Amino acid sequence: MAAARRLKRVAVSQPGFLGLKSNVKPSELVSSRRKRVNKNKKKNWNRHSDIHDVEDFLEDIRHQERTTGGLLSEKPDDSLFFLDVEAEPVKAEKGKRRVQRPLRIDLILQHDSMVPAPKNVTAYQQPNAKKLRRIAQKAEQLAAKGVLPRRQRRLLSRRPAEKTVKKAEANNNPDRDFYAMWGEEKVTDSADPWYLQQTGKKLVQRPEKLNQKPSVLPAVEVIAPGGSYNPDFLSHQALLQEAHDVEVQKQKQEDKLQRQLAFRKEDRATEVQTIISAVAACLYEDEDEAAAPNEDEANSALGAIAVAAKKTERQRKKEKAEKMKTQQQQASRRQTERQQQLFQLRSIKSSIKQQELQTKARRMKRKARQEAQKALPRRLGRLKYAQDLEVQLSDELAASLRQLKPEGSVLKDRFKSLQKRNLIEPRERAKFKRRLKVKYVEKRAFRQIT
Amino acid sequence: MGGTQKKKFERGSATNYITRNRARKKLQLSLPDFRRLCILKGIYPHEPKHKKKVNKGSTAPRTFYLLKDIRFLLHEPIVAKFREYKIFVRKLRKAYGKTEWSAVERLKENKPTYKLDHIIKERYPSFIDALRDIDDALCMCFLFSTFARTGKCHVQTIQLCRRLTVEWMNYVIASRSLRKVFVSIKGMYYQAEVMGQLITWLVPYQFSHDHPTDVDYRVMATFTELYTTLLGFVNFRLYHSLNLVYPPKLDIKAESELKGENEDEYAMDSESYPEKLAALSASLARVVSTAEEEDAQLDAFPTEEEDLEKVEAREKEQMQLETQKKIFEGLKFFLNREVPRESLAFVIRCFGGEVSWDRSVCIGSTYDATDETITHQIVDRPNVDKSYINRYYIQPQWVYDCVNAKVLLPVEDYFLGVTLPPHLSPFVEEKDGDYVPPEKLKIMALQRGEKPEENDEDDDEEDEEQNEDDEDEAEEKNLKEMEKQKSQGKSLQVKVTPGKMKMENPVRLEQEEKAEEKRLAIMMMKKKEKYLYDKIMFGKKRKIREANKLAAKRKAFDDTEKAKKKKTKN
């Protein structure tokens, strides 16, 4: 209750308070009859002592200090007043001691109050400042002694990272090195085979069939003695003969083709024959027309005969008898043959022997042919293997090693050898196939010329 | 009948084979990658016996592979590398297209590569297998090392091939294993015997080259890739077997000899060492240096089964071989500028000779043309301007012919300007009845140690002919006289003179006895056996007749040549 009354009194004493009744002043609202207080009690020294005059005075002093930078009474005359003498307009001498008077803005912004700006304490506050200071001091002491902190020690003791450029060496690097593959000492896999198998690192075994060579021919076939740069006469002739044979075969093939495609003389009718045949055709035309209807009748008659009558009993019996007869004859013939064979044993034996010999000879031939086949190149693809022969004609032979002009190229020879030994299939260069036809058009200028 | 019917082409050979395209799809590779994989792994196409069955009734020419082989290919780790490479190419192309150069650099640095070592180990489980297949490898490596370094095929491959071939040649020199050389129109054929295997290879001429267009370079490059790896490992093993340092180093002594002035005229610093090795003029360094090479004494194995004769024969053979390996020992050669230096240097050094060449030709020449101790100078020109007295000037064919004949041939046939005897092929083995060219007969005579026969010089021939003519005339004269006398009825001046003792030639007697025995044996043969014998003899005689025919032809040719020569002379 007392608190509420106090609150009301405080509210009323605020400046600008408007009561309900306008003609009543707020100061009068507060009842002047006051409760009597005992000023000797400590409690009341603070509450009910009136020090507002002192307060005002102090407030005034503080105000002066704050705004004008000191008590006005203590200020010198120059700072408060100035003599207004009629002076000429001061001509600003350019370039000479321009910095005589300080700038007006600097004067305005000068700190002219005796009250210093308040210090933001929190800006200088550091949590754990003491602790950190202590730590830093300790570190300084240790550093002065020479002991490094643990972190630095660990950094220094770390092994330097080996900057190995992990370059996977290419297989055809000219400086690559080789090691002992077929080691003299038994260099077996250090790991257990079971381990290798379980971890999937074991290499699959190569099938046995792949170790056989696909051809019995040697890798390098030396050229015939006629291929020497300075050959013996006869061996050179032999080589020329071989080349000649190959060419003759080719020529024969061509000739055969030409012959087959040639126009035969017999097919070509001479002029006389054509005339005769033309005349004959005209002559026989009339006769044909007359003969034609007769033939039709004859044909129909023949057709009628073809539909025969049924076989009679007699005919059937006859046929049966004939059949029996032939069968009996054949049986008896076979019987006699079998009996006679007993006396023909010797000739039979000899004929059997001959047949055996023949079969043996054929078997040998077939085997020989098969062996020869192994040496031939197999047909592995679309193209057939073509062999070319290197030979120099007699007038191309060189007089000395210096003047020798090499024949053929080893690259081609090796390529052909690989094909011959069935290592690769015969291949030829891919032809350039145009999808769209090229159209040739003459330029207008040229068209006028030609 | 119950159950499903058997369908065609579901079992048997039709299921053992697979076409190339099917195989490619199974492996999920592109065609060039598939080809490369097959070449590397040694998988070759097969021609089936019954093509129609395998091809399901059609006769279209298709390439077939065995299904088991393709299944084996599926396990190959290189297949993954091929796919990685394809992706790498795709990424690189994108980076180029977007002009992201940093990405290009990064990708190029991490380019995926593969190694073929495990494939070599799988295909050639033992060293002898690898040696058997080394012919092909050598030919390819020699071929590729002669290519021009234009960038059409990887320059690295060419360099690697060059290095390997030089190593191989140095090995052959160090082990003295070269046996035969044949200079042909295609190239030079060499044959060496390494660890009991006869290895033949072909070296193209340095100056040929017109690259043919119908050869697939990718295929050849793949083969070379495989073969360079193989040859590298084989070289390593061979070098270690001879106790030499493997990437080969020149002997310290020899290197100091070779150090001449102006070395940078020949090659860059990085290349001068391999170039010196390639010069083949110095010996190689050993792992454990031995003082001097001594002839290893053959151990005497006491074999009970073999006869003493066989052992002696073998020893004799061995001694012969040793002498044949040293035919050029002690001789000093100098090669003129126009002869093929590398080939001759290789051959000469293989047989113990010393060789050098003009300083302007190549690095590594040890002595100059003015050296007094040179015994032979190899020249290929019609004449030389300055000639020293104590050396022979010969054409290069002499060296090759000596190597093939395994004996030093007379130098006179190979002088400058002389028509050379034909260069015979050492790879031809003549059987008994075959035609043997007269040059070969001469060489065989030399090998047996007989003195060289008289050369066909014109003066001698003429003298001989004249002599023969004279003799013939004398004989004819005698006969004519005798006839005349007889016809004239005079008794011939034949007197009875005391008999002379005829010395019986025991060798001839033996031969006659043997012939008699043979004739008796023939008479005693049964009809059938005689029939067979006649057939065999007929065959033999036919060969001899043919050889005689060829010899007659040759004689006719020689006569015409002589007549021509006489005409030009006159």
Side-chain angles (χ1 to χ4, degrees):
Chain A
M1 212 155 76
R5 255 186 254 141
R6 206 185 314 135
L7 197 62
K8 276 186 194 160
R9 234 183 278 138
V10 167
V12 168
S13 63
Q14 297 295 327
F17 179 78
L18 290 171
L20 270 169
K21 279 193 179 159
S22 54
N23 49 356
V24 178
K25 279 195 202 153
S27 51
E28 287 170 20
L29 278 176
V30 179
S31 56
S32 48
R33 209 164 60 143
R34 270 208 169 166
K35 199 178 175 182
R36 281 215 267 185
V37 218
N38 187 4
K39 285 199 188 169
N40 298 328
K41 289 219 156 156
K42 201 175 187 179
K43 251 194 218 176
N44 299 328
W45 290 352
N46 216 2
R47 281 190 215 160
H48 298 288
S49 53
D50 188 15
I51 48 169
H52 70 273
D53 46 352
V54 179
E55 290 275 326
D56 284 340
F57 174 68
L58 287 173
E59 187 64 37
D60 188 40
I61 287 178
R62 274 187 229 125
H63 184 258
Q64 280 181 29
E65 283 183 352
R66 210 169 54 230
T67 50
T68 58
L71 292 172
L72 281 172
S73 50
E74 287 169 11
K75 285 226 164 139
D77 293 338
D78 286 327
S79 63
L80 293 171
F81 309 104
F82 71 96
L83 234 86
D84 189 13
V85 177
E86 286 207 43
E88 300 94 46
V90 174
K91 229 198 284 184
E93 289 176 29
K94 286 187 187 167
K96 257 202 219 180
R97 281 174 271 140
R98 193 76 171 84
V99 201
Q100 249 179 3
R101 291 200 302 176
L103 288 173
R104 184 114 186 108
I105 191 163
D106 288 338
L107 290 173
I108 294 173
L109 285 176
Q110 248 175 17
H111 186 76
D112 63 341
S113 138
M114 214 189 256
V115 180
K119 200 165 79 166
N120 185 4
V121 188
T122 56
Y124 296 96
Q125 273 180 350
Q126 226 181 5
N128 288 345
K130 233 190 238 174
K131 190 173 171 187
L132 292 173
R133 224 181 307 134
R134 213 174 343 120
I135 290 170
Q137 277 173 1
K138 248 202 210 142
E140 268 177 62
Q141 284 170 6
L142 286 176
K145 265 196 272 176
V147 178
L148 292 168
R150 191 169 295 148
R151 211 194 198 138
Q152 299 252 343
R153 261 184 277 147
R154 287 193 76 206
L155 278 175
L156 289 172
S157 71
R158 227 169 47 171
R159 213 171 35 161
E162 278 154 16
K163 196 109 203 275
T164 48
V165 181
K166 197 179 54 144
K167 227 183 174 192
E169 231 185 43
N171 200 36
N172 59 356
N173 189 2
D175 301 320
R176 70 164 285 177
D177 45 52
F178 300 96
Y179 49 86
M181 175 168 278
W182 305 279
E184 288 86 16
E185 317 89 39
K186 196 73 170 29
V187 175
T188 46
D189 288 318
S190 53
D192 192 20
W194 172 253
Y195 165 73
L196 284 176
Q197 190 196 20
Q198 287 298 304
T199 50
K201 291 197 189 138
K202 183 170 169 197
L203 292 173
V204 179
Q205 225 190 6
R206 191 181 171 89
E208 270 301 312
K209 254 200 172 171
L210 284 176
N211 293 337
Q212 292 166 2
K213 291 215 179 110
S215 172
V216 296
L217 295 170
V220 179
E221 285 180 20
V222 185
I223 197 171
S228 158
Y229 91 102
N230 181 8
D232 178 37
F233 173 68
L234 286 171
S235 31
H236 186 232
Q237 294 292 316
L239 195 62
L240 285 174
Q241 182 71 28
E242 272 184 45
H244 173 76
D245 286 339
V246 167
E247 290 297 314
V248 160
Q249 281 293 102
K250 274 197 220 165
Q251 189 66 29
K252 266 196 196 167
Q253 293 280 337
E254 275 189 38
D255 285 343
K256 182 173 170 190
L257 209 62
Q258 290 295 325
R259 247 183 301 129
Q260 283 174 343
L261 296 172
F263 191 57
R264 288 201 305 178
K265 268 194 234 162
E266 298 94 55
D267 293 342
R268 181 187 311 162
T270 51
E271 278 190 48
V272 179
Q273 273 190 342
T274 41
I275 294 172
I276 290 175
S277 54
V279 167
C282 298
L283 278 178
Y284 295 135
E285 253 178 28
D286 313 323
E287 291 191 15
D288 274 339
E289 283 172 356
N294 291 345
E295 283 178 19
D296 288 332
E297 286 175 325
N299 279 344
S300 58
L302 277 168
I305 291 170
V307 180
K310 272 176 86 177
K311 274 195 208 168
T312 55
E313 280 290 329
R314 256 174 144 195
Q315 274 180 335
R316 262 191 247 263
K317 268 196 221 156
K318 217 185 193 178
E319 274 178 13
K320 221 186 261 178
E322 272 181 31
K323 212 184 193 181
M324 286 288 291
K325 205 166 142 191
T326 45
Q327 271 184 3
Q328 273 180 358
Q329 269 184 358
Q330 276 181 5
S332 64
R333 207 183 294 159
R334 252 180 268 145
Q335 187 76 10
T336 44
E337 257 187 50
R338 228 178 283 156
Q339 281 179 345
Q340 293 300 334
Q341 271 181 6
L342 204 64
F343 303 108
Q344 292 169 354
L345 270 176
R346 219 189 278 171
S347 58
I348 291 172
K349 235 195 218 173
S350 67
S351 71
I352 288 178
K353 220 187 260 182
Q354 255 204 350
Q355 275 176 8
E356 268 181 22
L357 276 174
Q358 263 187 358
T359 45
K360 213 191 267 182
R362 272 196 218 127
R363 202 190 309 156
M364 299 253 286
K365 261 197 219 162
R366 207 182 311 142
K367 275 226 174 86
R369 216 186 307 146
Q370 273 182 3
E371 293 293 312
Q373 280 273 325
K374 275 195 199 159
L376 285 177
R378 317 250 92 225
R379 180 79 189 275
L380 291 169
R382 196 170 55 95
L383 299 163
K384 284 207 181 118
Y385 171 73
Q387 169 89 43
D388 40 327
L389 206 59
E390 282 109 0
V391 66
Q392 276 188 339
L393 302 172
S394 313
D395 43 352
E396 288 172 6
L397 286 176
S400 75
L401 194 55
R402 182 172 49 101
Q403 293 159 353
L404 171 65
K405 190 162 183 292
E407 184 84 22
S409 106
V410 177
L411 182 61
K412 205 165 179 189
D413 166 70
R414 289 277 94 217
F415 191 56
K416 290 274 178 197
S417 162
L418 290 171
Q419 286 171 6
K420 199 170 182 187
R421 279 180 284 147
N422 306 326
L423 299 177
I424 49 179
E425 63 215 33
R427 301 187 58 211
E428 66 177 9
R429 198 182 172 81
K431 276 184 265 192
F432 178 67
K433 283 197 191 141
R434 277 193 187 277
R435 293 192 185 277
L436 307 165
K437 259 198 335 189
V438 176
K439 193 168 158 184
Y440 292 99
V441 176
E442 248 186 0
K443 274 193 187 171
R444 205 157 252 230
F446 291 150
R447 222 184 282 164
Q448 288 173 356
I449 298 169
T450 53
Chain B
M1 39 181 183
T4 48
Q5 289 186 343
K6 268 199 200 173
K7 281 207 180 132
K8 256 183 155 180
F9 309 124
E10 258 181 21
R11 317 139 220 265
S13 51
T15 49
N16 288 343
Y17 288 88
I18 184 175
T19 62
R20 188 189 66 188
N21 279 338
R22 279 256 173 91
R24 192 175 66 78
K25 284 203 189 112
K26 198 174 169 93
L27 288 163
Q28 296 177 323
L29 287 174
S30 67
L31 186 57
D33 276 342
F34 175 72
R35 274 216 194 95
R36 198 176 301 148
L37 182 65
C38 284
I39 289 170
L40 290 176
K41 288 285 279 185
I43 307 270
Y44 310 120
H46 272 256
E47 190 189 10
K49 266 201 202 143
H50 304 283
K51 219 168 182 184
K52 254 189 162 179
K53 276 194 207 169
V54 173
N55 216 350
K56 309 223 169 112
S58 89
T59 46
R62 269 192 253 262
T63 317
F64 291 104
Y65 290 83
L66 284 171
L67 187 59
K68 283 201 182 145
D69 295 349
I70 302 295
R71 271 204 219 121
F72 170 61
L73 272 183
L74 284 168
H75 300 284
E76 176 57 39
I78 282 192
V79 176
K81 295 281 183 177
F82 282 166
R83 296 190 190 130
E84 266 178 52
Y85 190 77
K86 187 171 96 167
I87 292 169
F88 161 75
V89 166
R90 192 192 302 158
K91 285 189 186 166
L92 193 65
R93 210 184 310 134
K94 269 203 195 155
Y96 261 109
K98 292 187 187 170
T99 61
E100 287 169 3
W101 303 118
S102 59
V104 165
E105 288 298 319
R106 175 179 49 90
L107 284 168
K108 275 198 183 162
E109 258 176 55
N110 299 334
K111 179 175 174 176
T113 54
Y114 56 84
K115 281 261 176 98
L116 298 175
D117 304 354
H118 63 283
I119 294 187
I120 303 283
K121 181 83 177 141
E122 176 199 300
R123 279 178 80 168
Y124 307 105
S126 81
F127 179 58
I128 294 291
D129 295 330
L131 262 192
R132 282 200 200 112
D133 260 2
I134 206 76
D135 293 17
D136 228 346
L138 280 171
C139 288
M140 288 296 238
C141 286
F142 271 101
L143 172 66
F144 265 68
S145 61
T146 58
F147 280 179
R149 296 174 198 203
T150 51
K152 271 202 164 175
C153 48
H154 291 229
V155 178
Q156 287 192 324
T157 313
I158 300 177
Q159 285 175 327
L160 182 62
C161 287
R162 176 98 181 119
R163 168 192 150 195
L164 291 172
T165 50
V166 164
E167 283 174 11
W168 170 262
M169 286 203 282
N170 273 315
Y171 168 78
V172 174
I173 291 174
S175 65
R176 307 270 182 103
S177 13
L178 190 65
R179 299 280 179 264
K180 296 182 183 171
V181 184
F182 181 41
V183 180
S184 77
I185 51 181
K186 233 196 287 194
M188 296 214 204
Y189 289 90
Y190 295 93
Q191 190 177 68
E193 190 181 339
V194 174
M195 300 210 174
Q197 302 286 328
L198 285 171
I199 295 172
T200 320
W201 71 95
L202 169 61
V203 177
Y205 289 115
Q206 298 280 356
F207 42 81
S208 34
H209 287 319
D210 217 9
H211 276 271
T213 45
D214 49 352
V215 170
D216 192 348
Y217 278 90
R218 253 183 288 185
V219 163
M220 304 302 265
T222 316
F223 271 107
T224 310
E225 213 183 312
L226 175 72
Y227 286 147
T228 48
T229 328
L230 175 64
L231 185 56
F233 283 113
V234 166
N235 275 349
F236 182 92
R237 177 68 185 264
L238 290 173
Y239 270 66
H240 275 267
S241 73
L242 269 195
N243 194 24
L244 295 165
V245 170
Y246 185 56
K249 292 198 170 28
L250 293 170
D251 211 9
I252 309 168
K253 243 190 328 164
E255 207 179 331
S256 53
E257 269 179 52
L258 279 183
K259 229 174 189 97
E261 318 89 48
N262 307 340
E263 270 187 0
D264 43 323
E265 272 181 8
Y266 298 108
M268 303 188 311
D269 283 334
S270 59
E271 300 213 339
S272 77
Y273 200 80
E275 284 298 313
K276 274 197 221 159
L277 267 177
L280 300 174
S281 55
S283 52
L284 299 173
R286 305 202 161 239
V287 171
V288 180
S289 52
T290 52
E292 265 298 318
E293 272 182 49
E294 290 167 15
D295 286 319
Q297 285 280 327
L298 283 179
D299 291 337
F301 286 109
T303 49
E304 302 112 8
E305 293 163 18
E306 289 192 34
D307 300 332
L308 206 65
E309 290 177 11
K310 280 195 191 165
V311 170
E312 275 181 16
R314 239 189 306 133
E315 274 184 19
K316 215 172 112 191
E317 246 184 67
Q318 200 70 18
M319 296 278 292
Q320 220 182 24
L321 198 65
E322 291 293 318
T323 48
Q324 279 162 10
K325 283 188 194 171
K326 298 187 185 148
I327 48 175
F328 292 146
E329 199 126 313
L331 304 179
K332 254 180 145 177
F333 290 83
F334 187 80
L335 305 176
N336 227 15
R337 287 197 293 264
E338 68 272 358
V339 300
R341 184 204 68 84
E342 197 170 283
S343 155
L344 280 171
F346 174 55
V347 173
I348 291 171
R349 283 219 66 227
C350 263
F351 287 89
E354 288 176 38
V355 63
S356 178
W357 45 85
D358 198 64
R359 213 167 276 274
S360 62
V361 170
C362 185
I363 200 174
S365 70
T366 41
Y367 46 85
D368 216 4
T370 49
D371 194 341
E372 298 290 323
T373 47
I374 295 179
T375 52
H376 296 76
Q377 182 158 347
I378 315 269
V379 183
D380 209 355
R381 299 180 186 165
N383 45 23
V384 263
D385 31 347
K386 187 177 180 217
S387 56
Y388 291 78
I389 299 176
N390 60 341
R391 62 172 89 149
Y392 292 118
Y393 289 84
I394 43 179
Q395 303 192 35
Q397 199 182 308
W398 181 77
V399 175
Y400 299 120
D401 283 345
C402 283
V403 167
N404 288 334
K406 302 195 184 92
V407 91
L408 285 179
L409 296 173
V411 186
E412 295 82 41
D413 298 331
Y414 298 87
F415 278 152
L416 307 178
V418 172
T419 326
L420 292 170
H423 178 61
L424 302 165
S425 165
F427 293 98
V428 168
E429 300 291 333
E430 271 123 8
K431 283 159 256 173
D432 278 328
D434 284 349
Y435 167 72
V436 180
E439 289 82 15
K440 186 111 197 235
L441 290 167
K442 250 199 246 176
I443 291 172
M444 292 204 290
L446 276 168
Q447 280 174 345
R448 271 178 262 131
E450 295 168 11
K451 272 191 110 171
E453 293 149 14
E454 291 272 327
N455 286 335
D456 286 359
E457 294 204 45
D458 290 0
D459 305 328
D460 286 351
E461 268 184 27
E462 281 176 335
D463 288 340
E464 280 181 21
E465 280 182 22
Q466 284 183 356
N467 281 343
E468 283 177 13
D469 290 338
D470 290 340
E471 279 179 23
D472 285 337
E473 282 179 23
E475 275 187 30
E476 278 186 32
K477 262 194 184 169
N478 263 338
L479 278 171
K480 273 197 187 152
E481 274 189 34
M482 286 176 79
E483 278 184 20
K484 249 208 263 172
Q485 284 185 349
K486 218 178 174 184
S487 61
Q488 286 174 3
K490 285 191 194 160
S491 60
L492 294 169
Q493 293 167 356
V494 181
K495 284 188 222 160
V496 176
T497 44
K500 289 190 206 140
M501 273 253 290
K502 254 198 184 168
M503 300 306 295
E504 287 188 352
N505 207 344
V507 176
R508 246 195 62 179
L509 270 179
E510 256 188 67
Q511 280 183 358
E512 277 181 7
E513 269 188 50
K514 278 203 187 139
E516 267 296 324
E517 278 175 22
K518 202 174 173 196
R519 249 179 286 145
L520 279 172
I522 290 172
M523 276 200 290
M524 287 203 297
M525 271 201 280
K526 289 196 200 163
K527 210 176 178 184
K528 267 193 224 166
E529 292 171 20
K530 180 112 199 305
Y531 180 61
L532 273 170
Y533 175 74
D534 278 340
K535 265 194 159 169
I536 294 169
M537 289 311 288
F538 179 72
K540 273 203 190 154
K541 283 193 191 140
R542 185 165 26 140
K543 268 198 183 166
I544 294 171
R545 252 183 282 136
E546 280 183 18
N548 286 340
K549 232 194 279 178
L550 286 172
K553 251 193 180 174
R554 178 63 192 271
K555 191 154 177 289
F557 175 69
D558 283 338
D559 289 336
T560 49
E561 290 279 297
K562 254 187 261 164
K564 256 194 265 174
K565 259 194 248 168
K566 273 202 180 147
K567 261 198 215 164
T568 51
K569 245 193 161 180
N570 300 342

